[in-house]
């Protein structure tokens, strides 16, 4: 008789993609949250705590927590603005960001078609209290980043482009299905 398994073991490609996402969040100052969204608007991967729990990086690196020490009571890490005060995003920010990214992606693709402007590569929205970046990955998938208002936009865009370049070729239909299933199991 087989013992029941309670944990899903992610594939190497899924672990690599989660590692890339963790690096994007950890290495780029001002990034508040990140979401990878499928062409049909489903959240595939999120930087929200609990959504991308510590997986080993490429090559079997050490286990890591998404945001490490200093998490607050609701499990979210208190990111720090340039003035040192903690900033907090809304609860369930990953799902909200996915919805916004999907809608903005659809809107810009429609605008591009109306203007005969070709495929949309990147969209940036600057707001008083934050910035939103959306970049095409492959086959309609999108990478969305919510960042602080004082972030260096060129650094965010550069690191997003690196993520897209590295993730685009591994984001196969099979991996999308695995990531979506994993998101559903995490809920």
């Amino acid at each position: 008789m087989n013992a029941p398994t309670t944990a899903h073991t992610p594939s190497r490609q899924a672990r690599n993609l989660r590692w890339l996402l963790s690096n994007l969040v950890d290495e780029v100052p001002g990034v508040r949250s990140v979401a990878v969204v499928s062409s049909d608007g489903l959240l595939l991967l999120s930087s929200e705590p609990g959504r991308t729990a510590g997986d080993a990086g490429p090559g079997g690196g050490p286990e890591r927590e998404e945001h490490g020490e200093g998490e607050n009571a609701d499990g979210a890490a208190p990111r720090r603005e340039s003035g040192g005060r903690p900033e907090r995003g809304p609860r369930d920010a990953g799902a909200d960001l996915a919805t916004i990214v999907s809608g903005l992606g659809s809107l810009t693709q429609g605008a591009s078609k109306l203007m005969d402007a070709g495929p949309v590569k990147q969209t940036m929205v600057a707001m008083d209290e934050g910035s939103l970046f959306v970049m095409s990955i492959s086959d309609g998938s999108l990478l969305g980043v919510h960042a602080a208002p004082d972030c260096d936009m060129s650094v965010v865009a550069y690191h997003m482009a690196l993520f897209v370049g590295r993730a685009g070729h591994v984001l196969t239909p099979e991996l999308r299905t695995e990531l979506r299933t994993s998101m559903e199991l995490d809920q």
Side-chain angles (χ1 to χ4, degrees), residues 10-19 170 172 175 178-179:
S11 68
R12 181 172 177 243
Q13 293 86 1
R15 288 191 313 270
N16 288 346
L17 201 57
R18 288 178 176 163
W19 181 82
V170 298
T172 61
L175 182 56
E178 177 185 348
L179 292 170

Side-chain angles (χ1 to χ4, degrees), residues 82-108:
S82 59
R85 74 175 203 264
E87 66 182 54
R88 300 175 97 189
R91 289 180 186 254
D92 207 20
D96 290 345
L97 181 59
T99 301
I100 294 165
V101 166
S102 179
L104 189 57
S106 180
L107 178 67
T108 56

Side-chain angles (χ1 to χ4, degrees), residues 7 28 36 120 130 150 157:
V28 183
V36 176
V120 177
D150 60 349

Side-chain angles (χ1 to χ4, degrees), residues 19-34 47 64 67 79-81 87 131 133 143 145-148 150-163 166:
W19 181 82
L20 286 171
L21 184 115
S22 292
N23 276 354
L24 177 64
V25 172
D26 294 341
E27 300 294 323
V28 183
V31 170
R32 291 179 174 166
S33 59
V34 179
S47 64
R64 355 171 350 141
H67 291 289
R79 290 227 173 249
R80 306 264 177 210
E81 290 183 355
E87 66 182 54
S131 299
F133 302 83
L143 171 65
V145 173
H146 175 219
D150 60 349
C151 72
D152 186 334
M153 293 180 193
S154 62
V155 171
V156 173
Y158 173 75
H159 283 275
M160 287 178 71
L162 288 177
F163 180 94
R166 293 173 181 157

Side-chain angles (χ1 to χ4, degrees), residues 45-57:
L45 201 55
S46 172
S47 64
E48 184 178 332
R51 299 277 191 220
T52 56
D55 290 311

